[in-house]
Amino acid sequence: MLLAILSVQGGAAIAKGLFPALGPAGTTGIRIALSALVLLAVFRPRLRGLTGEQWRAVVPYGVALGVMNLTFYLALARIPLGLAVTLEFVGPLLVAVFGSRRALDFVWVALAGAGIALIAPWGGRGGLDGLGVLLALVAGACWGAYILLGGRVSRVFGGADGVATGMLFAALAGLPFALASGHWGALTPGVFAAGLGVALLSSALPYSLEMIALRALPARTFGILMSLEPAVAALCGLLFLNEHLSVPQWVAVAFVIAASAGATLTARRATAPVEA
């Protein structure tokens, strides 16, 4: 599970390094397109035999996945990796406590809200880009939708066919923005190889590792470990991208981690969000 988290955040750090050449939209396009090709080659879903119910489940699932990746990379171009992941994590947290009437769950929401308040650029404070913060929150909302839609996909598909098919529609949703970005002239063999590395580190490898972890760990333990992702992202940003967070921003990361872990511990039915 920890290797999966390191793989995702290492892939994000490499992706940010591709922004000068491809831009965030172009990097999104190459990541999800190559991820879709890898998953389709490995799992070979039968697209012709899909039922109407399967189409209705997988298309919005794939679109949510594509928009999530696009808005996250657009946010990543404007704010540090650790803060982008912290803000994005609010989506799965709200899904975990959605519909609850227990006072304790509202404590976790308030704690996450305090973290967001520490990150938010009130009156331009701290020089943090407001649009980047908003895009990260939109990515979090898409992640929450992806989790909810993924539950339906898992019920109507067998095995990993739904994920592979969903990634295809994610690529179709993201490619128009990638093509419109106009950066494809910079797609040299070296940049393509780095894009393939991003696709493997951010999608194919962590998905496989998470499936192994889910078989070996209780869902609640899985969810608590997932809560460490903002901290790992902040450390990857520091080590690989030289992104230094302020003390209040580190406190914000800690608040969101505590809220996510607390919501997982107290959930009646644990939800384990898997980032694709």
Side-chain angles (χ1 to χ4, degrees):
M1 188 59 228
L2 293 174
L3 287 174
I5 293 172
L6 286 170
S7 180
V8 168
Q9 300 311 324
I14 295 174
K16 191 162 186 175
L18 290 176
F19 288 176
L22 297 178
T27 304
T28 302
I30 194 170
R31 171 193 164 176
I32 58 180
L34 292 175
S35 297
L37 289 175
V38 169
L39 291 175
L40 290 171
V42 172
F43 297 109
R44 298 184 180 182
R46 296 180 180 179
L47 300 179
R48 291 184 179 180
L50 295 183
T51 65
E53 184 182 14
Q54 288 174 321
W55 282 113
R56 288 189 295 271
V58 78
V59 171
Y61 167 80
V63 171
L65 178 56
V67 176
M68 179 184 77
N69 280 279
L70 177 63
T71 51
F72 176 71
Y73 278 5
L74 289 171
L76 197 57
R78 294 174 173 270
I79 62 177
L81 173 60
L83 299 185
V85 173
T86 299
L87 291 165
E88 187 190 29
F89 231 75
V90 173
L93 172 62
L94 292 178
V95 170
V97 300
F98 180 75
S100 174
R101 295 183 179 179
R102 292 178 300 168
L104 188 57
D105 286 328
F106 291 103
V107 171
W108 307 132
V109 173
L111 191 59
I116 294 174
L118 286 171
I119 294 174
W122 305 110
R125 176 179 57 81
L128 201 62
D129 188 281
L131 180 56
V133 170
L134 178 61
L135 286 166
L137 291 172
V138 171
C142 291
W143 192 359
Y146 160 78
I147 293 169
L148 296 173
L149 294 167
R152 184 181 177 190
V153 168
S154 66
R155 290 191 295 270
V156 299
F157 278 86
D161 286 2
V163 175
T165 307
M167 188 63 76
L168 172 62
F169 287 101
L172 293 175
L175 278 177
F177 298 94
L179 294 173
S181 68
H183 287 85
W184 291 102
L187 191 59
T188 63
V191 171
F192 180 85
L196 179 59
V198 171
L200 293 174
L201 287 172
S202 298
S203 297
L205 179 58
Y207 172 75
S208 302
L209 292 171
E210 285 165 354
M211 290 303 100
I212 296 171
L214 278 170
R215 290 196 295 267
L217 294 173
R220 184 167 293 187
T221 304
F222 182 99
I224 293 170
L225 288 173
M226 278 290 290
S227 303
L228 297 174
E229 195 152 350
V232 175
L235 290 173
C236 285
L238 176 64
L239 294 174
F240 303 131
L241 300 171
N242 198 31
E243 294 177 341
H244 295 266
L245 304 186
S246 66
V247 172
Q249 289 170 346
W250 277 109
V251 173
V253 171
F255 278 5
V256 172
I257 290 173
S260 179
T264 303
L265 277 170
T266 59
R268 293 174 182 174
R269 185 176 65 182
T271 300
V274 180
E275 184 172 12

